Amino acid sequence: MMIKADYVLKMDRDFTLIRNGAIAVKDNKIAFVGPEEEAARIYIYDTVIGGQGKVAFPGFVNTHTHAAMVYFRGLADDLPLKVWLEDYIWPAEEKWLSPEFVGDAVELACLEMLKAGTTLYNDMYFYGDAVAASTKKTGMRAVVGAGILDFPGKTAKTGDEYFSNAEEFIRGWIGDELIVPCIAPHAPYTCSPETMKRAKELSVKYRVPMSLHLSETEWEISEIIKRYGKKPVALLESIGVLDESVVAAHCVWVDDEEIAILADRKVGVSHCIESNLKLASGFAPVIKMLKSGVKVTFGTDGAASNNDLNILSEMSTAAKIHKAVSGDPTAVNARQAMLMATRWGAEALGLGGITGSLEEGKAADIVLADLEKPHLLPLYDIYSQIVYSMLPSDIETVIVNGRVVLKEGKLTTAEESEILQTAREWGQKVRPADSQ
Ligand SMILES: [Zn+2]
């Protein structure tokens, strides 16, 4: 298979940009990336995708979401985080969560993400088997977290049950081509230091990533200081949890000392700007983190707090907000934003050797978008165009692990209309009596 495009963004260390480029895909891997004329000399191919007026880049990486929460999209908006979570989301989850609900919801989430150019996401939720199976069905790649809490939930009543479920899930999926299992203790305010240490042990034992929420709200900081006499990052550092296998979502309320710890320990940070804005959690010190060498990536968080799973829009929002907040219009430029959304995302999830850039030997996780659109012309800088002007509807082809999963904007791996109909049917059941 040969993919051709006016612009090919490799997103490698040199930010290589190829005009009139081609990508040769053999089996599930990238065999060649370079000028089209060179590709034509070397390769004989049976399928050509793309051509004039197209741009090819690595699939986006969503480093923090709760995919199944797409079924709670718009259920409870315009509320403070604690009220939103405790009075609306947790009761809805208690009532509705099941493997069927999660499996169906994840298909909708994957459809939404693929249509917006995302090829890899990091999930934190429950019923991991259902999450992984539905993701695999759509052909998408994911790091699927087994959620851990210190209080009883739908999937477990005790700590031991959470951990035995998680271990069974990890054993079941380890070595899969598209799914990487991971351990996901929810947050320092819902998981004790003992629980965090236990999660860490599992992460080390199976060499799988660990993902958690960290320093999301001001309330969390004072609560953790009250309980343990330390700020959340310092607390996790003191119990030996932090290292490069950890992906920490949010990190809004981190001070200079904590930023230095995150950088030193090579913790990947998932910046969820739109969720932070919507829940008024605050502005993460992204510029400081970047300057200190922290690998900051993008997460959408769940659709109940965003309310979509669109990395294009996270990039654009983050690039603009941090300029305004810092008073520096050069901060988080378009190339930086693209890097955070692609290669850095894959690296933060421990998959930098497999995906995140268009380089020979890596898996063919490729997005092809149409540039012949009124909002994309004229074109002077391809990075700016993608970050500030591109819309999900410009995404035409998505290839994951060498398989075309989105063709001419349509899912090839499952019936889109069925996924939408199932979503409508669940919506009818979940719908509160007083909703409009
Ligand atoms: Zn979250």
Side-chain angles (χ1 to χ4, degrees), residues 64 66 213 250 301:
H64 177 73
H66 314 277
H213 294 107
H250 303 301
D301 214 348

Side-chain angles (χ1 to χ4, degrees), residues 204-273:
V204 171
K205 181 175 174 188
Y206 291 99
R207 295 185 183 190
V208 293
M210 173 161 159
S211 85
L212 44 86
H213 294 107
L214 185 57
S215 302
E216 180 176 1
T217 60
E218 217 172 358
W219 171 85
E220 177 182 337
I221 308 304
S222 54
E223 179 66 21
I224 295 299
I225 292 175
K226 200 160 72 188
R227 285 192 214 170
Y228 309 112
K230 288 188 182 85
K231 284 187 168 186
V233 175
L235 173 71
L236 295 186
E237 167 70 356
S238 73
I239 58 171
V241 160
L242 300 179
D243 63 29
E244 61 188 336
S245 71
V246 176
V247 187
H250 303 301
C251 298
V252 174
W253 296 91
V254 287
D255 61 24
D256 291 356
E257 213 172 296
E258 292 177 296
I259 291 173
I261 294 172
L262 294 172
D264 190 46
R265 295 295 178 201
K266 298 188 168 60
V267 170
V269 168
S270 180
H271 177 41
C272 304
I273 183 79

Side-chain angles (χ1 to χ4, degrees), residues 89-360:
I89 296 303
W90 285 344
E93 288 181 337
E94 182 56 34
K95 187 165 178 195
W96 292 108
L97 289 200
S98 68
E100 294 72 31
F101 178 98
V102 169
D104 287 346
V106 166
E107 284 191 34
L108 182 73
C110 289
L111 176 61
E112 181 184 355
M113 287 192 273
L114 287 169
K115 277 175 171 280
T118 298
T119 52
L120 163 62
Y121 76 102
N122 178 26
D123 196 60
M124 179 198 283
Y125 216 54
F126 306 99
Y127 300 111
D129 287 325
V131 176
S134 286
T135 302
K136 218 172 147 65
K137 183 180 165 193
T138 65
M140 212 175 161
R141 197 185 288 283
V143 174
V144 179
I148 303 279
L149 291 166
D150 269 347
F151 48 87
K154 258 302 185 42
T155 56
K157 300 296 165 221
T158 64
D160 285 344
E161 207 179 341
Y162 275 111
F163 277 99
S164 65
N165 286 350
E167 189 157 5
E168 197 183 322
F169 168 69
I170 291 169
R171 281 170 184 264
W173 288 93
I174 209 155
D176 189 88
E177 211 173 5
L178 291 174
I179 306 295
V180 174
C182 121
I183 182 87
H186 177 264
Y189 63 93
T190 46
C191 295
S192 69
E194 288 68 37
T195 302
M196 287 290 181
K197 278 198 267 188
R198 212 171 154 186
K200 182 77 205 170
E201 281 164 19
L202 213 55
S203 156
V204 171
K205 181 175 174 188
Y206 291 99
R207 295 185 183 190
V208 293
M210 173 161 159
S211 85
L212 44 86
H213 294 107
L214 185 57
S215 302
E216 180 176 1
T217 60
E218 217 172 358
W219 171 85
E220 177 182 337
I221 308 304
S222 54
E223 179 66 21
I224 295 299
I225 292 175
K226 200 160 72 188
R227 285 192 214 170
Y228 309 112
K230 288 188 182 85
K231 284 187 168 186
V233 175
L235 173 71
L236 295 186
E237 167 70 356
S238 73
I239 58 171
V241 160
L242 300 179
D243 63 29
E244 61 188 336
S245 71
V246 176
V247 187
H250 303 301
C251 298
V252 174
W253 296 91
V254 287
D255 61 24
D256 291 356
E257 213 172 296
E258 292 177 296
I259 291 173
I261 294 172
L262 294 172
D264 190 46
R265 295 295 178 201
K266 298 188 168 60
V267 170
V269 168
S270 180
H271 177 41
C272 304
I273 183 79
E274 291 188 355
S275 173
N276 297 158
L277 289 171
K278 184 156 175 282
L279 293 166
S281 304
F283 300 101
V286 165
I287 297 170
K288 269 191 183 177
M289 286 198 270
L290 289 172
K291 278 188 180 148
S292 305
V294 178
K295 196 157 276 172
V296 183
T297 64
F298 293 119
T300 56
D301 214 348
S305 66
N306 185 304
N307 287 4
D308 58 32
L309 308 179
N310 175 5
I311 292 294
L312 278 167
S313 128
E314 297 296 319
M315 282 197 294
S316 176
T317 307
K320 290 168 192 158
I321 291 281
H322 295 295
K323 290 170 173 60
V325 169
S326 65
D328 175 7
T330 69
V332 192
N333 64 40
R335 279 158 60 120
Q336 173 83 62
M338 267 301 276
L339 177 63
M340 293 159 71
T342 55
R343 182 159 56 81
W344 276 12
E347 287 171 0
L349 297 179
L351 293 173
I354 292 172
T355 184
S357 59
L358 302 183
E359 294 179 90
E360 285 92 350

